[in-house]
Amino acid sequence: MLVAVLAGDGIGPEIMVEARRVLDVLAIPDLTFEEAPVGGAAYKAAGHPLPPATLDLAKRADAILFGAVGDPDCDALERHLRPEQAILGLRKELTLFSNLRPAKVFGELADASTLRKDVAEAIDILIVRELNGDVYFGEKGMRTTTAGLREGYDIMSYDEAEVHRIAHSGFQAAQARRSKLCSVDKANVLETSQLWRDVVIEVSKEYPDVELSHMYVDNAAMQLVKNPGQFDVIVTGNLFGDILSDLASMCVGSIGLLASASLDANNKGLYEPIHGSAPDIAGQGKANPLAMILSVAMMLRFSLGLSAEADRIEAAVAKALSSGARSGDIGGSLSTRAMGDAVLAALA
Ligand code: IPM
Ligand code: MG
């Protein structure tokens, strides 16, 4: 089995080193790794954020480990050359349409949340975010209005097949958990959302065991802060899922703890922490590697069929945290390496 290792920009390479050390300790037979540049690093090395050789490796691999992309040096480039286009391109080219973003409080860390402890403790949510459509991939551009004003535009749309497949992901994820699915949209204003809601209701007929509810995205943002314990699985579109998953991560305590899987119809996947490249702390050994390490666990479970190893990693992270290991983002001062060491010690 081949794993593509795309560390990317900013803190990506530092946290990837720790993830690789965890994999080394597990010593899984027949697992091979191949690295390639992506994002701003690839632009600087090869003139494109997603060079053909990197895309080819991603296509050949059984799974992809992805660090982060984003580099302030590249912010003035034309949009198609910016680092972010690499992750968007991989999601689209590999049809990774189903993005699973679990948000759960590690018991001891409820204090790191900005929410009250009793509210934070109840969080155990899975956000299922659609990744291949919506305003992210619609027609976009700059134009001049008849009045001579500059106008930016991005078209939001979903066709029913796109909603259909992500709805199935949401219902199936709910079946594997507490059988509650909340579909988040903005059907009171957007036609895209009206279709979304109609299709989710149609698909729900195939899942009579799942309790379906609907919520407008503005209310969902409020409810995530007010009473996050009410949610089991949330299914939502690309843009709303982007925003709500950052919100959920902070309710949990730190964005440095949240892993994600982006899956195609056959469970081939790309695994990445949901935080970005954090250029402000890059290269300082301060980044929390736990989201990257937890992404490895998701990869082993979903794409490589190694759930026992995935369980071991998750247990080791929980143990490291309960033994008091804390990086800066969760109220401590341990370095990236020391956090990695704590997980390795817990694994041993
Ligand atoms: C995420 C990120 C990306 C997104 C960026 C880097 C393009 O914020 O994965 O949530 O908007 O999807
Ligand atoms: Mg985001």
Side-chain angles (χ1 to χ4, degrees):
M1 290 177 294
L2 174 65
V3 175
V5 178
L6 312 181
D9 303 324
I11 60 173
E14 302 161 48
I15 57 176
M16 189 65 83
V17 168
E18 301 309 317
R20 290 293 300 276
R21 290 170 73 215
V22 168
L23 279 162
D24 287 347
V25 166
L26 290 179
I28 296 162
D30 302 324
L31 201 57
T32 55
F33 301 92
E34 215 175 297
E35 297 180 2
V38 75
Y43 174 77
K44 286 171 181 166
H48 195 279
L50 183 57
T54 302
L55 180 58
D56 176 64
L57 168 62
K59 286 183 173 166
R60 278 188 289 118
D62 297 289
I64 302 150
L65 267 186
F66 191 92
V69 289
D71 179 345
D73 291 353
C74 298
D75 282 350
L77 293 173
E78 281 176 66
R79 185 166 299 282
H80 75 280
L81 293 174
R82 291 196 204 161
E84 291 76 9
Q85 295 304 310
I87 185 63
L88 298 178
L90 283 166
R91 289 171 182 171
K92 194 72 175 173
E93 291 281 337
L94 300 172
T95 327
L96 306 171
F97 67 88
S98 178
N99 185 208
L100 310 182
R101 298 190 159 188
K104 185 175 160 65
V105 170
F106 285 92
E108 315 75 20
L109 278 186
D111 286 325
S113 174
T114 46
L115 298 182
R116 231 174 39 228
K117 188 165 184 242
D118 60 303
V119 178
E121 265 166 356
I123 301 175
D124 184 359
I125 303 173
L126 175 68
I127 297 183
V128 178
R129 170 189 175 196
E130 202 288 329
L131 274 190
N132 276 185
D134 202 349
V135 70
Y136 270 63
F137 292 99
E139 190 193 328
K140 59 176 73 230
M142 295 280 185
R143 60 194 170 197
T144 308
T145 67
T146 47
L149 298 174
R150 287 175 303 158
E151 181 176 59
Y153 63 97
D154 303 82
I155 308 281
M156 174 182 272
S157 69
Y158 267 122
D159 70 35
E160 57 183 320
E162 291 173 310
V163 183
H164 201 262
R165 65 182 179 182
I166 195 67
H168 279 288
S169 297
F171 281 106
Q172 285 161 17
Q175 280 182 326
R177 291 170 48 101
R178 302 191 301 278
S179 292
K180 278 172 61 183
L181 181 66
C182 179
S183 172
V184 170
D185 64 36
K186 187 71 185 171
N188 51 346
V189 178
L190 303 173
E191 284 301 302
T192 313
S193 282
Q194 187 59 56
L195 178 82
W196 176 281
R197 190 175 283 220
D198 293 347
V199 172
V200 169
I201 290 171
E202 286 158 27
V203 172
S204 72
K205 308 285 183 268
E206 294 176 48
Y207 300 90
D209 52 325
V210 176
E211 182 195 318
L212 173 66
S213 61
H214 303 274
M215 202 178 271
Y216 297 136
V217 63
D218 48 351
N219 185 29
M222 185 184 85
Q223 296 295 334
L224 272 170
V225 176
K226 185 180 175 198
N227 176 19
Q230 71 186 284
F231 295 105
D232 178 14
V233 179
I234 290 175
V235 65
T236 190
N238 205 345
L239 181 63
F240 299 156
D242 179 45
I243 298 166
L244 293 182
S245 57
D246 269 31
L247 177 55
S249 74
M250 205 53 228
C251 297
V252 166
S254 169
I255 197 166
L257 296 171
L258 292 216
S260 81
S262 305
L263 305 174
D264 73 3
N266 305 311
N267 282 353
K268 170 160 173 172
L270 178 150
Y271 299 84
E272 58 171 329
I274 82 153
H275 60 67
S277 57
D280 53 323
I281 58 165
Q284 300 173 31
K286 285 185 185 168
N288 182 348
L290 294 186
M292 187 76 242
I293 291 171
L294 290 167
S295 299
V296 170
M298 289 188 93
M299 173 181 82
L300 297 177
R301 177 173 298 120
F302 289 113
S303 287
L304 304 181
L306 297 166
S307 44
E309 286 79 357
D311 291 346
R312 271 188 75 193
I313 295 178
E314 287 167 355
V317 168
K319 195 172 164 198
L321 287 169
S322 57
S323 72
R326 298 280 187 279
S327 44
D329 57 314
I330 45 178
S333 60
L334 287 192
S335 66
T336 308
R337 173 49 54 104
M339 288 298 284
D341 286 342
V343 174
L344 292 185
L347 263 181

